[in-house]
Amino acid sequence: DAGVTQSPTHLIKTRGQQVTLRCSPKSGHDTVSWYQQALGQGPQFIFQYYEEEERQRGNFPDRFSGHQFPNYSSELNVNALLLGDSALYLCASMRGARETQYFGPGTRLLVL
Amino acid sequence: AQSVTQPDIHITVSEGASLELRCNYSYGATPYLFWYVQSPGQGLQLLLKYFSGDTLVQGIKGFEAEFKRSQSSFNLRKPSVHWSDAAEYFCAVGGTGGGNKLTFGTGTQLKVEL
Protein backbone atom coordinates (compact mmCIF):
# COMPACT_ATOMS: atom_id res chain seq x y z
CA ASP A 1 0.00 0.00 0.00
CA ALA A 2 1.69 3.18 -1.19
CA GLY A 3 1.73 6.06 1.20
CA VAL A 4 1.48 9.71 0.30
CA THR A 5 3.73 10.59 -2.62
CA GLN A 6 4.92 14.00 -3.75
CA SER A 7 6.76 15.29 -6.80
CA PRO A 8 9.23 16.66 -7.48
CA THR A 9 11.50 16.05 -4.49
CA HIS A 10 13.53 19.21 -5.07
CA LEU A 11 12.99 22.33 -7.12
CA ILE A 12 14.95 25.53 -7.76
CA LYS A 13 13.16 28.62 -9.09
CA THR A 14 13.91 32.31 -9.39
CA ARG A 15 11.94 35.20 -7.96
CA GLY A 16 8.78 36.01 -9.91
CA GLN A 17 8.41 32.55 -11.41
CA GLN A 18 5.53 30.19 -10.86
CA VAL A 19 5.70 26.64 -9.48
CA THR A 20 3.40 23.61 -9.34
CA LEU A 21 3.84 20.86 -6.78
CA ARG A 22 1.98 17.55 -6.93
CA CYS A 23 0.63 15.11 -4.36
CA SER A 24 -0.97 11.69 -4.54
CA PRO A 25 -2.83 10.69 -1.38
CA LYS A 26 -2.63 7.40 0.45
CA SER A 27 -4.98 4.78 -0.96
CA GLY A 28 -8.51 5.22 0.38
CA HIS A 29 -7.96 8.83 1.42
CA ASP A 30 -10.10 11.60 -0.04
CA THR A 31 -8.87 14.72 1.77
CA VAL A 32 -5.60 16.47 1.05
CA SER A 33 -3.94 19.24 3.04
CA TRP A 34 -0.85 21.28 2.22
CA TYR A 35 1.63 22.66 4.71
CA GLN A 36 4.67 24.92 4.41
CA GLN A 37 7.66 24.24 6.65
CA ALA A 38 10.29 26.96 6.71
CA LEU A 39 13.75 26.06 7.95
CA GLY A 40 13.78 25.56 11.71
CA GLN A 41 10.01 25.93 12.03
CA GLY A 42 7.00 23.70 12.43
CA PRO A 43 4.71 23.12 9.44
CA GLN A 44 2.08 25.79 8.77
CA PHE A 45 -1.30 24.96 7.27
CA ILE A 46 -1.89 26.38 3.78
CA PHE A 47 -5.21 24.84 2.73
CA GLN A 48 -7.25 21.66 2.59
CA TYR A 49 -9.16 20.07 -0.31
CA TYR A 50 -12.12 17.71 -0.14
CA GLU A 51 -14.42 16.70 -3.00
CA GLU A 52 -12.41 18.96 -5.32
CA GLU A 53 -13.26 22.04 -3.26
CA GLU A 54 -11.07 24.14 -0.98
CA ARG A 55 -12.59 23.44 2.43
CA GLN A 56 -10.29 25.50 4.65
CA ARG A 57 -7.49 27.97 4.20
CA GLY A 58 -4.72 29.22 6.45
CA ASN A 59 -3.09 32.65 6.49
CA PHE A 60 -1.47 32.52 3.09
CA PRO A 61 -1.86 35.05 0.27
CA ASP A 62 -3.81 34.40 -2.92
CA ARG A 63 -0.53 33.67 -4.68
CA PHE A 64 -0.98 30.21 -3.19
CA SER A 65 -3.69 28.23 -4.93
CA GLY A 66 -4.56 24.61 -5.31
CA HIS A 67 -6.63 22.04 -7.05
CA GLN A 68 -7.93 18.57 -6.34
CA PHE A 69 -8.67 16.11 -9.11
CA PRO A 70 -11.40 13.43 -9.27
CA ASN A 71 -8.85 10.79 -8.29
CA TYR A 72 -8.15 12.84 -5.11
CA SER A 73 -4.65 13.85 -6.16
CA SER A 74 -3.81 17.49 -5.65
CA GLU A 75 -1.63 20.33 -6.90
CA LEU A 76 -0.26 23.34 -5.09
CA ASN A 77 0.51 26.37 -7.26
CA VAL A 78 2.52 29.35 -6.14
CA ASN A 79 2.70 32.45 -8.36
CA ALA A 80 5.13 35.36 -8.30
CA LEU A 81 7.62 33.50 -6.13
CA LEU A 82 9.40 35.37 -3.34
CA LEU A 83 12.64 34.46 -1.60
CA GLY A 84 10.55 33.79 1.51
CA ASP A 85 8.66 31.02 -0.25
CA SER A 86 11.75 28.81 0.06
CA ALA A 87 10.63 25.94 2.27
CA LEU A 88 9.70 22.27 2.48
CA TYR A 89 6.15 21.81 1.20
CA LEU A 90 4.36 18.89 2.78
CA CYS A 91 1.22 17.19 1.60
CA ALA A 92 -0.93 15.21 4.01
CA SER A 93 -3.92 13.01 3.31
CA MET A 94 -6.71 11.54 5.40
CA ARG A 95 -10.06 9.86 5.01
CA GLY A 96 -12.89 12.26 5.79
CA ALA A 97 -12.56 14.97 8.41
CA ARG A 98 -12.06 13.00 11.61
CA GLU A 99 -9.09 10.84 10.87
CA THR A 100 -5.33 11.01 11.22
CA GLN A 101 -3.32 12.91 8.63
CA TYR A 102 -0.43 11.04 6.99
CA PHE A 103 2.37 13.06 5.47
CA GLY A 104 4.39 12.66 2.33
CA PRO A 105 8.17 13.19 2.12
CA GLY A 106 7.78 16.76 0.93
CA THR A 107 9.05 18.92 -1.91
CA ARG A 108 11.94 21.20 -1.07
CA LEU A 109 11.62 24.50 -2.95
CA LEU A 110 14.48 26.94 -3.20
CA VAL A 111 13.79 30.40 -4.62
CA LEU A 112 16.84 32.37 -5.77
CA ALA B 1 -7.39 30.32 17.87
CA GLN B 2 -5.48 27.10 18.32
CA SER B 3 -1.80 27.06 19.27
CA VAL B 4 0.93 24.71 20.47
CA THR B 5 3.95 25.50 22.61
CA GLN B 6 6.98 23.26 22.82
CA PRO B 7 9.15 24.98 25.44
CA ASP B 8 12.33 23.01 24.75
CA ILE B 9 14.06 23.80 21.47
CA HIS B 10 16.92 21.36 22.03
CA ILE B 11 17.25 18.39 24.38
CA THR B 12 20.27 16.12 24.81
CA VAL B 13 19.99 12.76 26.58
CA SER B 14 22.30 9.79 26.96
CA GLU B 15 21.39 6.54 25.26
CA GLY B 16 19.37 4.40 27.67
CA ALA B 17 18.14 7.38 29.67
CA SER B 18 14.48 8.31 29.93
CA LEU B 19 12.97 11.11 27.88
CA GLU B 20 10.12 13.57 28.29
CA LEU B 21 9.27 16.19 25.67
CA ARG B 22 6.82 18.87 26.73
CA CYS B 23 3.83 20.13 24.79
CA ASN B 24 1.17 22.63 25.83
CA TYR B 25 -1.78 23.45 23.63
CA SER B 26 -4.61 25.94 23.34
CA TYR B 27 -7.83 24.85 21.67
CA GLY B 28 -11.42 26.00 22.08
CA ALA B 29 -13.06 22.59 21.86
CA THR B 30 -12.12 18.97 22.46
CA PRO B 31 -8.68 18.66 20.91
CA TYR B 32 -7.16 15.97 18.79
CA LEU B 33 -3.48 15.75 19.73
CA PHE B 34 -0.59 14.28 17.82
CA TRP B 35 3.12 13.72 18.03
CA TYR B 36 5.10 13.46 14.81
CA VAL B 37 8.81 12.79 14.29
CA GLN B 38 10.93 14.17 11.46
CA SER B 39 14.38 12.95 10.48
CA PRO B 40 16.64 15.35 8.54
CA GLY B 41 15.30 16.10 5.08
CA GLN B 42 12.31 13.82 5.57
CA GLY B 43 8.56 14.16 5.95
CA LEU B 44 6.65 13.65 9.18
CA GLN B 45 5.99 10.24 10.68
CA LEU B 46 3.12 9.82 13.13
CA LEU B 47 4.23 8.53 16.53
CA LEU B 48 0.90 8.56 18.35
CA LYS B 49 -2.42 10.34 18.60
CA TYR B 50 -5.13 11.15 21.13
CA PHE B 51 -8.75 11.56 20.06
CA SER B 52 -10.69 10.50 23.16
CA GLY B 53 -10.84 7.84 25.87
CA ASP B 54 -7.82 6.66 27.83
CA THR B 55 -5.59 9.64 28.49
CA LEU B 56 -2.40 7.56 28.29
CA VAL B 57 -1.75 6.59 24.69
CA GLN B 58 0.83 4.22 23.32
CA GLY B 59 2.60 4.79 20.06
CA ILE B 60 5.24 3.30 17.84
CA LYS B 61 8.90 2.84 18.75
CA GLY B 62 8.10 2.57 22.47
CA PHE B 63 6.77 6.12 22.86
CA GLU B 64 3.78 7.09 24.98
CA ALA B 65 2.03 10.35 25.79
CA GLU B 66 -0.38 11.49 28.47
CA PHE B 67 -3.22 13.93 27.88
CA LYS B 68 -3.84 16.19 30.88
CA ARG B 69 -6.81 18.43 30.21
CA SER B 70 -6.38 20.44 33.42
CA GLN B 71 -2.84 21.39 32.39
CA SER B 72 -3.53 21.62 28.63
CA SER B 73 -0.57 19.33 28.12
CA PHE B 74 0.31 16.31 26.02
CA ASN B 75 3.85 15.33 26.96
CA LEU B 76 5.74 12.62 25.10
CA ARG B 77 7.75 10.05 27.03
CA LYS B 78 10.05 7.12 26.42
CA PRO B 79 11.60 5.05 29.22
CA SER B 80 14.87 4.25 27.43
CA VAL B 81 16.13 6.27 24.46
CA HIS B 82 18.00 4.68 21.56
CA TRP B 83 20.55 6.46 19.38
CA SER B 84 18.16 6.10 16.44
CA ASP B 85 15.62 8.31 18.23
CA ALA B 86 17.69 11.41 17.44
CA ALA B 87 15.38 13.56 15.31
CA GLU B 88 13.03 16.53 15.55
CA TYR B 89 9.73 16.01 17.34
CA PHE B 90 6.59 18.01 16.67
CA CYS B 91 3.45 18.23 18.74
CA ALA B 92 0.27 19.19 16.89
CA VAL B 93 -3.33 19.99 17.74
CA GLY B 94 -6.40 19.71 15.55
CA GLY B 95 -10.05 18.82 15.83
CA THR B 96 -13.41 18.94 14.20
CA GLY B 97 -13.86 22.47 15.51
CA GLY B 98 -11.10 23.51 13.14
CA GLY B 99 -11.89 21.13 10.32
CA ASN B 100 -9.02 18.99 11.52
CA LYS B 101 -6.38 21.38 10.22
CA LEU B 102 -3.25 20.83 12.28
CA THR B 103 -1.41 23.52 14.19
CA PHE B 104 2.15 22.54 15.03
CA GLY B 105 4.62 23.62 17.64
CA THR B 106 8.08 24.81 16.66
CA GLY B 107 9.57 21.42 17.43
CA THR B 108 12.11 19.93 19.83
CA GLN B 109 15.43 18.75 18.44
CA LEU B 110 16.56 15.60 20.26
CA LYS B 111 20.22 14.68 20.40
CA VAL B 112 21.28 11.30 21.82
CA GLU B 113 24.73 10.90 23.28
CA LEU B 114 26.29 7.46 23.05
Short mmCIF file of all heavy atoms in Angstrom, two decimals, chain B residues 76-109:
data_model
loop_
_atom_site.label_atom_id
_atom_site.label_comp_id
_atom_site.label_asym_id
_atom_site.label_seq_id
_atom_site.Cartn_x
_atom_site.Cartn_y
_atom_site.Cartn_z
N LEU B 76 5.27 13.87 25.71
CA LEU B 76 5.74 12.62 25.10
C LEU B 76 6.82 12.02 25.98
O LEU B 76 7.72 12.74 26.43
CB LEU B 76 6.29 12.91 23.70
CG LEU B 76 6.81 11.73 22.89
CD1 LEU B 76 5.65 10.85 22.42
CD2 LEU B 76 7.62 12.23 21.69
N ARG B 77 6.77 10.70 26.17
CA ARG B 77 7.75 10.05 27.03
C ARG B 77 8.26 8.77 26.39
O ARG B 77 7.58 8.14 25.57
CB ARG B 77 7.13 9.70 28.40
CG ARG B 77 6.63 10.89 29.17
CD ARG B 77 6.34 10.51 30.59
NE ARG B 77 5.23 9.56 30.71
CZ ARG B 77 4.05 9.87 31.23
NH1 ARG B 77 3.80 11.11 31.63
NH2 ARG B 77 3.11 8.96 31.34
N LYS B 78 9.49 8.42 26.79
CA LYS B 78 10.05 7.12 26.42
C LYS B 78 10.96 6.68 27.56
O LYS B 78 11.81 7.47 28.00
CB LYS B 78 10.82 7.20 25.10
CG LYS B 78 11.29 5.84 24.59
CD LYS B 78 11.83 5.90 23.19
CE LYS B 78 12.18 4.49 22.69
NZ LYS B 78 12.65 4.46 21.30
N PRO B 79 10.83 5.47 28.04
CA PRO B 79 11.60 5.05 29.22
C PRO B 79 13.09 4.88 28.95
O PRO B 79 13.91 5.10 29.83
CB PRO B 79 10.96 3.71 29.62
CG PRO B 79 10.15 3.28 28.47
CD PRO B 79 9.82 4.47 27.66
N SER B 80 13.46 4.50 27.72
CA SER B 80 14.87 4.25 27.43
C SER B 80 15.13 4.66 25.97
O SER B 80 14.64 4.02 25.04
CB SER B 80 15.21 2.78 27.64
OG SER B 80 16.56 2.52 27.30
N VAL B 81 15.91 5.70 25.80
CA VAL B 81 16.13 6.27 24.46
C VAL B 81 17.22 5.49 23.73
O VAL B 81 18.23 5.10 24.32
CB VAL B 81 16.53 7.75 24.60
CG1 VAL B 81 17.03 8.31 23.29
CG2 VAL B 81 15.34 8.55 25.10
N HIS B 82 17.03 5.33 22.43
CA HIS B 82 18.00 4.68 21.56
C HIS B 82 18.64 5.72 20.66
O HIS B 82 18.01 6.76 20.35
CB HIS B 82 17.27 3.60 20.71
CG HIS B 82 18.17 2.73 19.92
ND1 HIS B 82 18.43 2.94 18.59
CD2 HIS B 82 18.89 1.63 20.26
CE1 HIS B 82 19.27 2.02 18.14
NE2 HIS B 82 19.55 1.21 19.14
N TRP B 83 19.86 5.47 20.21
CA TRP B 83 20.55 6.46 19.38
C TRP B 83 19.73 6.82 18.13
O TRP B 83 19.77 7.96 17.65
CB TRP B 83 21.94 5.96 18.96
CG TRP B 83 21.93 4.75 18.06
CD1 TRP B 83 22.02 3.46 18.45
CD2 TRP B 83 21.78 4.73 16.64
NE1 TRP B 83 21.93 2.62 17.38
CE2 TRP B 83 21.80 3.36 16.25
CE3 TRP B 83 21.65 5.71 15.65
CZ2 TRP B 83 21.69 2.98 14.93
CZ3 TRP B 83 21.53 5.33 14.32
CH2 TRP B 83 21.55 3.97 13.98
N SER B 84 18.95 5.85 17.64
CA SER B 84 18.16 6.10 16.44
C SER B 84 16.97 7.03 16.68
O SER B 84 16.28 7.42 15.73
CB SER B 84 17.65 4.79 15.84
OG SER B 84 16.84 4.11 16.78
N ASP B 85 16.71 7.38 17.93
CA ASP B 85 15.62 8.31 18.23
C ASP B 85 15.99 9.76 17.98
O ASP B 85 15.13 10.65 18.04
CB ASP B 85 15.16 8.15 19.70
CG ASP B 85 14.51 6.81 19.97
OD1 ASP B 85 13.83 6.29 19.07
OD2 ASP B 85 14.71 6.28 21.09
N ALA B 86 17.26 10.03 17.72
CA ALA B 86 17.69 11.41 17.44
C ALA B 86 16.96 11.93 16.21
O ALA B 86 17.03 11.33 15.12
CB ALA B 86 19.20 11.45 17.22
N ALA B 87 16.23 13.01 16.37
CA ALA B 87 15.38 13.56 15.31
C ALA B 87 14.71 14.82 15.87
O ALA B 87 14.97 15.24 16.99
CB ALA B 87 14.33 12.56 14.88
N GLU B 88 13.82 15.40 15.07
CA GLU B 88 13.03 16.53 15.55
C GLU B 88 11.61 16.03 15.80
O GLU B 88 11.04 15.29 14.99
CB GLU B 88 13.02 17.67 14.56
CG GLU B 88 12.34 18.92 15.09
CD GLU B 88 12.98 20.20 14.63
OE1 GLU B 88 13.58 20.19 13.53
OE2 GLU B 88 12.87 21.22 15.35
N TYR B 89 11.05 16.47 16.91
CA TYR B 89 9.73 16.01 17.34
C TYR B 89 8.76 17.18 17.37
O TYR B 89 9.06 18.24 17.93
CB TYR B 89 9.82 15.36 18.72
CG TYR B 89 10.57 14.05 18.68
CD1 TYR B 89 11.97 14.04 18.64
CD2 TYR B 89 9.91 12.83 18.64
CE1 TYR B 89 12.67 12.84 18.57
CE2 TYR B 89 10.59 11.63 18.58
CZ TYR B 89 11.98 11.65 18.53
OH TYR B 89 12.66 10.46 18.46
N PHE B 90 7.61 16.97 16.75
CA PHE B 90 6.59 18.01 16.67
C PHE B 90 5.30 17.56 17.33
O PHE B 90 4.81 16.47 17.05
CB PHE B 90 6.29 18.37 15.21
CG PHE B 90 7.40 19.06 14.50
CD1 PHE B 90 8.31 18.34 13.74
CD2 PHE B 90 7.56 20.44 14.60
CE1 PHE B 90 9.35 18.98 13.08
CE2 PHE B 90 8.59 21.09 13.95
CZ PHE B 90 9.49 20.36 13.19
N CYS B 91 4.77 18.41 18.16
CA CYS B 91 3.45 18.23 18.74
C CYS B 91 2.46 19.03 17.90
O CYS B 91 2.81 20.12 17.41
CB CYS B 91 3.46 18.72 20.18
SG CYS B 91 1.89 18.57 21.05
N ALA B 92 1.25 18.50 17.71
CA ALA B 92 0.27 19.19 16.89
C ALA B 92 -1.12 19.03 17.49
O ALA B 92 -1.42 18.01 18.13
CB ALA B 92 0.28 18.66 15.45
N VAL B 93 -1.94 20.03 17.27
CA VAL B 93 -3.33 19.99 17.74
C VAL B 93 -4.27 20.22 16.57
O VAL B 93 -3.97 20.98 15.65
CB VAL B 93 -3.57 21.04 18.86
CG1 VAL B 93 -3.45 22.47 18.32
CG2 VAL B 93 -4.93 20.86 19.51
N GLY B 94 -5.38 19.54 16.57
CA GLY B 94 -6.40 19.71 15.55
C GLY B 94 -7.73 19.31 16.15
O GLY B 94 -7.84 19.11 17.35
N GLY B 95 -8.75 19.22 15.33
CA GLY B 95 -10.05 18.82 15.83
C GLY B 95 -11.14 19.21 14.88
O GLY B 95 -10.93 20.02 13.99
N THR B 96 -12.30 18.67 15.12
CA THR B 96 -13.41 18.94 14.20
C THR B 96 -13.83 20.40 14.28
O THR B 96 -14.36 20.96 13.33
CB THR B 96 -14.62 18.06 14.52
OG1 THR B 96 -14.98 18.25 15.90
CG2 THR B 96 -14.28 16.61 14.30
N GLY B 97 -13.55 21.05 15.40
CA GLY B 97 -13.86 22.47 15.51
C GLY B 97 -13.08 23.30 14.51
O GLY B 97 -13.51 24.36 14.10
N GLY B 98 -11.93 22.80 14.10
CA GLY B 98 -11.10 23.51 13.14
C GLY B 98 -11.01 22.80 11.82
O GLY B 98 -10.11 23.07 11.02
N GLY B 99 -11.94 21.87 11.58
CA GLY B 99 -11.89 21.13 10.32
C GLY B 99 -10.72 20.19 10.25
O GLY B 99 -10.31 19.78 9.17
N ASN B 100 -10.16 19.90 11.41
CA ASN B 100 -9.02 18.99 11.52
C ASN B 100 -7.77 19.53 10.85
O ASN B 100 -6.87 18.77 10.54
CB ASN B 100 -9.34 17.60 11.00
CG ASN B 100 -8.58 16.54 11.78
OD1 ASN B 100 -7.91 16.84 12.76
ND2 ASN B 100 -8.66 15.31 11.35
N LYS B 101 -7.67 20.83 10.62
CA LYS B 101 -6.38 21.38 10.22
C LYS B 101 -5.46 21.28 11.43
O LYS B 101 -5.89 21.43 12.57
CB LYS B 101 -6.50 22.83 9.76
CG LYS B 101 -6.71 23.82 10.88
CD LYS B 101 -6.64 25.25 10.38
CE LYS B 101 -6.71 26.23 11.54
NZ LYS B 101 -6.66 27.64 11.09
N LEU B 102 -4.20 21.00 11.20
CA LEU B 102 -3.25 20.83 12.28
C LEU B 102 -2.47 22.11 12.51
O LEU B 102 -2.01 22.75 11.56
CB LEU B 102 -2.28 19.69 11.96
CG LEU B 102 -2.91 18.30 11.88
CD1 LEU B 102 -1.83 17.27 11.53
CD2 LEU B 102 -3.59 17.93 13.19
N THR B 103 -2.31 22.45 13.79
CA THR B 103 -1.41 23.52 14.19
C THR B 103 -0.26 22.87 14.94
O THR B 103 -0.48 22.13 15.89
CB THR B 103 -2.13 24.54 15.10
OG1 THR B 103 -3.19 25.15 14.35
CG2 THR B 103 -1.17 25.61 15.57
N PHE B 104 0.96 23.17 14.48
CA PHE B 104 2.15 22.54 15.03
C PHE B 104 2.90 23.48 15.96
O PHE B 104 2.87 24.71 15.81
CB PHE B 104 3.10 22.15 13.89
CG PHE B 104 2.68 20.96 13.08
CD1 PHE B 104 1.77 21.11 12.05
CD2 PHE B 104 3.18 19.71 13.37
CE1 PHE B 104 1.37 20.00 11.30
CE2 PHE B 104 2.79 18.59 12.63
CZ PHE B 104 1.88 18.75 11.60
N GLY B 105 3.64 22.88 16.88
CA GLY B 105 4.62 23.62 17.64
C GLY B 105 5.87 23.82 16.81
O GLY B 105 5.96 23.35 15.67
N THR B 106 6.84 24.51 17.39
CA THR B 106 8.08 24.81 16.66
C THR B 106 9.06 23.66 16.69
O THR B 106 10.11 23.72 16.04
CB THR B 106 8.75 26.06 17.22
OG1 THR B 106 8.87 25.92 18.63
CG2 THR B 106 7.93 27.31 16.89
N GLY B 107 8.74 22.60 17.44
CA GLY B 107 9.57 21.42 17.43
C GLY B 107 10.62 21.38 18.53
O GLY B 107 11.04 22.42 19.05
N THR B 108 11.01 20.16 18.89
CA THR B 108 12.11 19.93 19.83
C THR B 108 13.13 19.04 19.14
O THR B 108 12.78 17.94 18.69
CB THR B 108 11.63 19.26 21.12
OG1 THR B 108 10.72 20.13 21.80
CG2 THR B 108 12.82 18.95 22.03
N GLN B 109 14.35 19.52 19.07
CA GLN B 109 15.43 18.75 18.44
C GLN B 109 16.05 17.85 19.51
O GLN B 109 16.55 18.35 20.53
CB GLN B 109 16.48 19.68 17.86
CG GLN B 109 17.58 18.98 17.09
CD GLN B 109 17.11 18.41 15.77
OE1 GLN B 109 16.43 19.06 15.00
NE2 GLN B 109 17.45 17.16 15.50
#
